[in-house]
Amino acid sequence: MPPRRVVTGRSQEPRQRFVEELRILRAARGDSLRKLGEVLGWDWSLFGKMESGETLGGPEVVEALDQHYGTGNLLLTLWELALGDPTQFREKYRRYMILAAEAVSLWKYSVSAVPGLLQTEEYARTLLAVGGLNGDELTRQVEARIGRSELLDGNAAPRFRAILSESVLRTELEDPQAWRIQLEHLLEISERKNVTIHVVENSAGLHALTNTDIMFLRTPDGRTVAWVETGYSGELVEETAAVEQLQLSYDSVRDLALTPAASRTFISRTLEEAQCDPST
C-alpha cells in the first residue's frame, strides 16, 4: 500500500479528502481516465466525475479502485466517511453490498417500487424523502443509491433480471415529467444485453412473493444468496435450503410474468398513458 499522506487542512473535509486521494493515486499510477475505464470495466467518464466531486460513485467501483491501486480499504473507508452516515453500513448490509459488487448475476422481484438499480435520481429522491429523509442526509443517500446503479454499467457488468409487480408501474410520482423520465429510463435500460425486465400483471392474482421484495445474488464461486427486504429492514439469507425455497418462489412468479418483449410493450403503453394524461 502506498504510504499514508499527512492530512492537511485542505483534506480534513471527508469528501474533499476522498476526491484528492483519487487524483493523487491515479497520477502516481500514470493512468489516464480512459485507461482506468478500460482496465476496470466502467465508463471512463464516471472516474472523471468522481475526481471532480460531481459524484461519489458506488461501493463496488470504490472497492475496484482499492484493488487496482493496492490500497486495502483506504478508498472505501474515505468513501463511507464522505457519505457521512456510519449507520448506513451495518455489517449485514455491508456484506450484502460486497456480495453484490462481486456477483456475476442478480435477480430481483419488486412489490411496489422501482428497484434501486433502475431508479432515476428524481425517483430515488422522492422515494427516500417520503421515507423521512431530508437535507444533506437525503442528498447523501440519493448519491449512494445512484452510485450503486453504476453496477450495471461497463463491459464487466453482471446480468440483471428484474420482475416488477404491475403496482410498481401504477404508483406514479407526483411530478408527471419525473415519472415519464423514470418510465423512459426503464425502457432504455431494458434494451441492454445484460438487463432483462418482466412485468407481472395484477390479473395474475396472489402469488408466492406478493408481499416480498427480494434480490438474489450469484457469486463467482457458484453460491446464491438472497436479500429479503421490507420498507423498514432487510435480511441476508445464505443458508442453502432457505435460498433454494426462495428461488422456487421466484421461479413460480417468473412463470406468471410477461415476456421481456411484452413487458417493454406494457411499459411503453404506461408511458403513453402518462403522456396523454389531460391533467399534465
Side-chain angles (χ1 to χ4, degrees):
M1 178 187 301
R4 295 293 298 274
R5 284 172 285 284
V6 175
V7 178
T8 65
R10 176 188 175 193
S11 59
Q12 286 178 351
E13 198 279 317
R15 189 181 185 109
Q16 179 59 36
R17 174 63 194 279
F18 175 68
V19 168
E20 179 182 311
E21 200 73 22
L22 290 175
R23 293 171 181 162
I24 292 173
L25 287 168
R26 185 170 63 82
R29 189 67 171 259
D31 289 338
S32 67
L33 290 172
R34 289 187 181 277
K35 179 65 175 177
L36 196 59
E38 291 173 0
V39 171
L40 298 184
W42 275 273
D43 190 288
W44 66 270
S45 64
L46 169 62
F47 300 108
K49 291 177 181 178
M50 291 172 69
E51 290 187 17
S52 70
E54 184 178 343
T55 181
L56 290 175
E60 54 283 334
V61 68
V62 177
E63 288 172 350
L65 286 166
D66 263 330
Q67 183 176 0
H68 178 67
Y69 292 128
T71 46
N73 290 321
L74 171 63
L75 292 177
L76 186 61
T77 299
L78 292 174
W79 179 80
E80 292 178 2
L81 291 172
L83 285 176
D85 180 16
T87 65
Q88 181 185 5
F89 298 96
R90 298 184 302 274
E91 184 60 31
K92 180 170 58 176
Y93 189 55
R94 172 78 174 274
R95 175 160 172 73
Y96 162 67
M97 288 197 302
I98 292 173
L99 289 170
E102 298 172 345
V104 296
S105 59
L106 308 95
W107 307 276
K108 173 72 176 178
Y109 174 72
S110 289
V111 174
S112 58
V114 174
L117 290 175
L118 304 181
Q119 290 175 10
T120 61
E121 182 174 344
E122 188 58 33
Y123 187 98
R125 184 176 303 280
T126 303
L127 185 63
L128 292 169
V130 297
L133 296 181
N134 54 60
D136 291 342
E137 176 65 12
L138 175 60
T139 298
R140 285 192 291 266
Q141 294 284 358
V142 170
E143 285 186 346
R145 179 161 298 187
I146 297 305
R148 286 193 291 274
S149 71
E150 290 158 357
L151 175 68
L152 300 181
D153 296 338
N155 298 329
R159 297 192 63 81
F160 179 62
R161 181 183 301 276
I163 304 176
L164 312 180
S165 165
E166 181 179 340
S167 298
V168 172
L169 301 173
R170 298 303 183 191
T171 308
E172 303 179 4
L173 295 177
E174 185 175 350
D175 181 344
Q177 179 61 19
W179 177 236
R180 288 191 287 266
I181 291 173
Q182 176 63 73
L183 292 173
E184 289 169 352
H185 180 65
L186 287 177
L187 287 173
E188 179 182 345
I189 203 168
S190 71
E191 297 292 343
R192 295 187 187 181
K193 292 182 179 180
N194 64 311
V195 176
T196 303
I197 296 177
H198 298 272
V199 174
V200 177
E201 295 180 284
N202 291 337
S203 59
L206 297 177
H207 54 71
L209 297 178
T210 294
N211 297 317
T212 305
D213 250 90
I214 193 165
M215 174 80 89
F216 294 96
L217 311 172
R218 183 77 168 176
T219 65
D221 62 3
R223 294 188 307 119
T224 300
V225 302
W227 176 261
V228 182
E229 191 169 10
T230 68
Y232 302 96
S233 65
E235 178 184 2
L236 184 63
V237 181
E238 298 187 73
E239 197 274 319
T240 300
V243 172
E244 288 180 349
Q245 185 59 50
L246 288 169
Q247 282 186 287
L248 288 174
S249 296
Y250 186 88
D251 289 343
S252 70
V253 177
R254 181 178 170 182
D255 289 342
L256 296 173
L258 299 174
T259 66
S263 296
R264 283 194 295 272
T265 299
F266 190 99
I267 297 170
S268 295
R269 189 165 61 246
T270 305
L271 175 59
E272 290 172 0
E273 292 170 358
Q275 292 172 331
C276 295
D277 188 341
S279 65
T280 64

